[in-house]
């Protein structure tokens, strides 16, 4: 009798987990099996987790986050799509949001430029089916020139498995979600605001080593959650630790998503206080999702642009970077400016 009860409870528990993940449990299992046969060593990054971009001393990058949120008709529809994906059954194409159509057209206009994808790339939970059916037909056109960082929605799936399966080696070595890009005199860190960044953590120790070995470089960084923004949100402690570390090292800029508008701060010190010669934060979280109401600023705010889906364009020189926020179907230049690296 106890054995039958145990089996029954096990089946009930499995059904609950299956329902709670809206069918993604099957693709989680497939992901786990796939990793046993995948290569362990990175083919893109060196032993220090650095990839050298093939560029001259002048180069450009595009950056945006919070992108693919296709229409799904509730949990039952999502459950059905996850099951069909796991079983390899064709699914009807979901309806994309308008903002991601706008930014896809901007990507296509600048078809030769590398892209920094600032997290929350495939709503709602970053499942494989969301990347396959919603992100990939649009921003996936730029996959082989994209360098991503994960967001909180990716981690709504266990271990952000859908994100790491989709991006594979481009997400950085060993599925920890942090690495660096080097181009000319610049080193740009892709960090993970969704995992431990406290003193002594693997991520923090790697940042310390990398920055100590690149003191002659101009520094930039990108990660999903802003440490400081006109809209303060919860669970940002790791983001603040990351910002403090790179700002104290002299970073020229930090790029974030998470908030669905464009924002630029005044230069900030590592504690987030306005400081001449500090680090400028750009929030470029309107890559698909867009805030449609005005947002009041605070003492850190230089400017905020709402209601405009867009992409931040960065044009690098040896000791400076020109930036512009490009938005709308016509890729209009909404705002622009200049930062220097001493």
């Amino acid at each position: 009798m106890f054995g039958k009860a145990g089996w029954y409870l096990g089946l009930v528990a499995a059904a609950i987990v299956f329902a709670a993940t809206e069918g993604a449990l099957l693709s989680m299992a497939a992901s786990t099996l796939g990793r046993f046969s995948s290569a362990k060593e990175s083919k893109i990054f060196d032993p220090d987790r650095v990839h050298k971009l093939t560029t001259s001393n002048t180069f450009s990058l595009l950056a945006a986050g919070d992108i693919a949120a296709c229409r799904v008709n509730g949990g039952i529809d999502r459950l059905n799509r996850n099951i069909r994906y796991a079983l390899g059954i064709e699914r009807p194409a979901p309806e994309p949001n308008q903002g991601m159509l706008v930014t896809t057209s901007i990507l296509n206009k600048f078809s030769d430029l590398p892209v920094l994808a600032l997290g929350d790339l495939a709503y709602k939970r970053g499942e494989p089916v969301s990347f396959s059916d919603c992100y990939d037909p649009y921003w996936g056109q730029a996959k082989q020139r994209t360098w991503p960082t994960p967001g909180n929605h990716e981690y709504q799936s266990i271990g952000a498995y859908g994100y790491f399966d989709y991006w594979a080696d481009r997400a950085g070595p060993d599925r920890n979600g942090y690495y660096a890009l080097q181009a000319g005199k610049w080193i740009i860190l892709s960090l993970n605001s969704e995992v431990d960044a406290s003193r002594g953590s693997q991520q923090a120790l790697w940042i310390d080593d990398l920055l100590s070995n690149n003191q002659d470089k101009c520094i930039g960084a990108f990660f999903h959650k802003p440490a400081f923004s006109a809209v303060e949100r919860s669970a940002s402690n790791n983001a603040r630790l990351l910002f403090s570390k790179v700002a104290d090292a002299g970073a020229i800029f930090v790029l974030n998503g998470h908030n669905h508008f464009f924002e630029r701060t005044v230069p900030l010190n590592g504690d987030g206080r306005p400081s001449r010669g500090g680090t400028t934060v750009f929030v470029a979280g309107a890559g698909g999702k867009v805030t449609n109401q005005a947002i009041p600023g605070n003492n850190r705010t230089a400017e905020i642009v709402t209601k405009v889906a867009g992409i931040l364009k960065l044009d690098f020189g040896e000791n400076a970077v020109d930036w512009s926020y490009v938005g709308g179907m016509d890729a209009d230049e909404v705002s622009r400016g200049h930062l220097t690296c001493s």
Side-chain angles (χ1 to χ4, degrees):
M1 178 66 70
F2 179 79
K4 289 182 178 179
W7 275 105
Y8 175 74
L9 290 174
L11 289 171
V12 170
I16 291 172
V17 172
F18 188 81
T21 62
E22 295 176 328
L25 185 64
L26 291 174
S27 58
M28 290 182 202
S31 170
T32 301
L33 291 172
R35 288 201 295 277
F36 283 121
S37 60
S38 61
K40 299 291 184 182
E41 294 185 2
S42 171
K43 298 179 181 179
I44 295 178
F45 297 93
D46 69 19
D48 295 323
R49 311 176 73 92
V50 177
H51 174 80
K52 292 185 178 180
L53 296 175
T54 305
T55 67
S56 62
N57 285 334
T58 60
F59 62 98
S60 298
L61 300 172
L62 305 175
D66 304 80
I67 294 161
C70 293
R71 183 185 297 276
V72 177
N73 296 320
I76 298 299
D77 187 20
R78 189 173 287 108
L79 172 68
N80 178 55
R81 299 185 72 85
N82 273 311
I83 293 172
R84 292 170 71 91
Y85 173 86
L87 297 177
I89 301 172
E90 188 175 347
R91 301 156 303 283
E95 179 184 348
N97 64 66
Q98 181 60 30
M100 66 188 282
L101 296 179
V102 170
T103 55
T104 298
S105 72
I106 297 172
L107 286 185
N108 292 337
K109 179 177 180 179
F110 300 103
S111 59
D112 59 336
L113 299 187
V115 180
L116 309 182
L118 305 180
D120 282 3
L121 308 179
Y123 288 83
K124 171 182 177 185
R125 294 194 176 105
E127 314 100 316
V129 70
S130 297
F131 275 101
S132 172
D133 293 2
C134 187
Y135 182 92
D136 195 67
Y138 302 94
W139 272 56
Q141 298 171 40
K143 183 177 182 180
Q144 296 308 314
R145 56 186 172 109
T146 297
W147 301 97
T149 189
N152 54 295
H153 279 272
E154 275 77 43
Y155 276 91
Q156 288 189 25
S157 290
I158 295 173
Y161 78 98
Y163 168 88
F164 287 110
D165 285 358
Y166 180 77
W167 292 108
D169 208 18
R170 297 191 76 82
D174 55 40
R175 300 173 79 94
N176 283 320
Y178 55 87
Y179 57 90
L181 304 173
Q182 183 179 334
K185 191 181 175 181
W186 289 85
I187 189 150
I188 302 171
L189 287 70
S190 175
L191 304 177
N192 191 343
S193 62
E194 311 311 305
V195 301
D196 189 11
S198 63
R199 183 177 181 181
S201 66
Q202 289 184 348
Q203 182 170 206
L205 292 173
W206 172 76
I207 295 170
D208 290 340
D209 287 344
L210 185 73
L211 294 179
S212 67
N213 293 328
N214 287 277
Q215 296 183 34
D216 60 334
K217 298 288 195 301
C218 297
I219 301 168
F222 64 104
F223 46 93
H224 179 62
K225 288 179 180 172
F228 304 101
S229 173
V231 176
E232 300 282 345
R233 298 172 69 179
S234 62
S236 296
N237 184 58
N238 285 322
R240 294 199 174 199
L241 292 171
L242 294 174
F243 180 82
S244 176
K245 192 170 283 291
V246 298
D248 288 345
I252 307 305
F253 64 83
V254 167
L255 312 180
N256 304 121
H258 200 47
N259 292 333
H260 304 154
F261 48 81
F262 173 74
E263 177 182 12
R264 174 175 57 91
T265 71
V266 299
L268 305 174
N269 67 14
D271 295 324
R273 293 193 297 268
S275 175
R276 185 175 181 181
T279 302
T280 298
V281 175
F282 294 95
V283 176
K289 289 211 162 191
V290 180
T291 296
N292 286 316
Q293 68 268 15
I295 300 293
N298 56 34
N299 68 317
R300 301 186 184 101
T301 305
E303 69 173 314
I304 296 175
V305 177
T306 61
K307 307 178 185 179
V308 180
I311 291 178
L312 180 65
K313 183 171 181 282
L314 301 166
D315 299 312
F316 293 85
E318 186 173 359
N319 293 296
V321 55
D322 293 320
W323 61 266
S324 56
Y325 185 59
V326 180
M329 292 300 291
D330 294 328
D332 296 323
E333 188 178 85
V334 180
S335 184
R336 66 179 302 174
H338 178 83
L339 300 174
T340 58
C341 169
S342 58

